[in-house]
């Protein structure tokens, strides 16, 4: 006869197996994630897990890797240089503290993110670290609050790194960097060189990281009594190809500008290529700045003026916060600083791209 629950009143793996119509060993394989299982079987098992609010015993070998404490790092795109830096910080700190680090790349799929978080809850992971900006909607907040509550009920912790807070009372830790302030300081530096028409190559309008950088761009202008031309604010994403496309579009449309501020170094790299293709030199013809200070920024020609974000430290701090190893006051909500790195790609204005300047391409 199948037991309904263990001594503590919790559902057991046999309860899940009965509900899903499979064997207990099949449930273990699904939750362990290391054996091939059909998608239909996995769907039935995970539905039963949710319906029974089942949390696996962390000592089970198939689920918890023989008791090795686990941290999970969840990001949208592991190929992004800034994300890779943060992942490196998480992995090194987790290893130093004796934890196994699992990395999940969701490619923007919310369902994949939810499934992975639920799997980490079943494995009793010490913490789940969610990284990167999002669309800050009511649906996002509700979904993330459910994740936080679910992990907390299993003795785990949700850490938001570079993501919006959920408001008071949510069982989360938040690690941020001064995103808007970095953009403000960068644009202020560009304006201090005499530039007054600064083209901004931004990200998606509903993306919180992109929004912060655009706010910094606008605030730096307004602090000097300037109102930037709305036509100089273009939106794309944070990739090299977006920077290349937006720069080509700006040149084709004959927009007048003397400097370009890109929302990321990758966007700046694409813009730099488009400028070179059009016969324009940086910084002699157009000044150019990026954001992130990823390693290759110093190897561009010219070396890129940008904003340094301490991505590796963000990753290390996220781990220490999740495991209660921080000594900072208010460690459940921490803000790291950013600063401008001045290199060779921004100089004093003396030239303006626009209808009077023929460009090739």
């Amino acid at each position: 006869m199948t037991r309904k629950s263990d001594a503590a009143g919790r559902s057991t793996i046999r309860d899940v197996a009965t509900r899903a119509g499979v064997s207990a060993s099949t449930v273990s394989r699904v939750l362990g994630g290391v054996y091939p299982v059909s998608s239909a079987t996995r769907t039935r098992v995970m539905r039963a897990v949710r319906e029974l609010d089942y949390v696996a015993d962390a000592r089970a070998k198939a689920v918890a890797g023989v008791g090795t404490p686990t941290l999970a790092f969840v990001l949208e795109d592991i190929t992004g240089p800034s994300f890779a830096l943060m992942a490196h910080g998480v992995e090194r700190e987790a290893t130093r503290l004796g934890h196994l680090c699992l990395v999940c790349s969701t490619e923007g799929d919310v369902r994949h993110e939810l499934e992975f978080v639920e799997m980490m809850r079943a494995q009793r992971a010490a913490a789940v670290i969610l990284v990167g900006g999002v669309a800050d909607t009511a649906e996002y907040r509700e979904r993330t609050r459910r994740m936080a509550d679910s992990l907390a009920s299993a003795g785990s912790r949700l850490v938001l790194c570079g993501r919006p807070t959920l408001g008071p009372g949510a069982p989360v830790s938040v690690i941020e960097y001064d995103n808007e302030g970095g953009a403000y300081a960068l644009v202020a530096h560009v304006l201090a060189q005499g530039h007054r028409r600064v083209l901004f190559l931004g990200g998606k309008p509903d993306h919180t990281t992109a929004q912060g950088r655009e706010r910094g761009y606008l605030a730096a202008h307004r602090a000097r009594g300037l109102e930037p031309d709305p036509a100089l604010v273009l939106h794309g994403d944070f990739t090299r190809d977006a920077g290349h496309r937006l720069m080509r579009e700006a040149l084709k449309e004959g927009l007048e500008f003397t400097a370009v501020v890109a929302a990321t170094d990758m966007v700046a790299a694409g813009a730099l290529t488009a400028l070179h293709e059009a016969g324009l030199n940086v910084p002699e013809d157009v000044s150019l700045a990026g954001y992130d200070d990823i390693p290759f920024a110093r190897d561009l020609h010219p070396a890129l003026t940008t904003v340094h974000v301490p991505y590796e430290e963000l990753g290390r701090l996220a781990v220490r916060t999740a495991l209660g190893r921080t000594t900072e006051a208010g460690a459940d909500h921490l803000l790291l600083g950013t600063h401008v790195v001045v290199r060779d790609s921004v100089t004093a204005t003396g030239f303006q791209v626009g209808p009077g300047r023929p460009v090739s391409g």
Side-chain angles (χ1 to χ4, degrees), residues 22 32 37 42 46 62 72 95 101 115 120-121 184 198 205 213 215 220 263 273 287 324 330 347 356:
V22 298
V37 179
R42 174 178 170 75
M46 294 310 296
T95 298
C101 181
E115 287 177 357
M120 291 301 97
R121 175 179 179 268
Y184 179 99
V198 181
R213 295 179 187 185
R215 285 196 302 270
T273 298
S287 286
T347 190

Side-chain angles (χ1 to χ4, degrees), residues 28 36 52 54 65 68 74 114 174 176 206 223 244 274 277 287 316:
S28 293
L52 295 173
Y54 173 74
T68 303
V74 186
L114 290 169
V174 179
E176 297 183 280
D206 64 347
H244 185 263
E277 290 171 348
S287 286
R316 291 192 293 268

Side-chain angles (χ1 to χ4, degrees), residues 239-249 267 269-271 273-274 277:
T239 64
R240 178 267 176 202
D241 288 346
H244 185 263
R245 174 178 56 80
L246 291 175
M247 192 71 257
R248 285 178 60 87
E249 290 175 1
V267 172
T273 298
E277 290 171 348

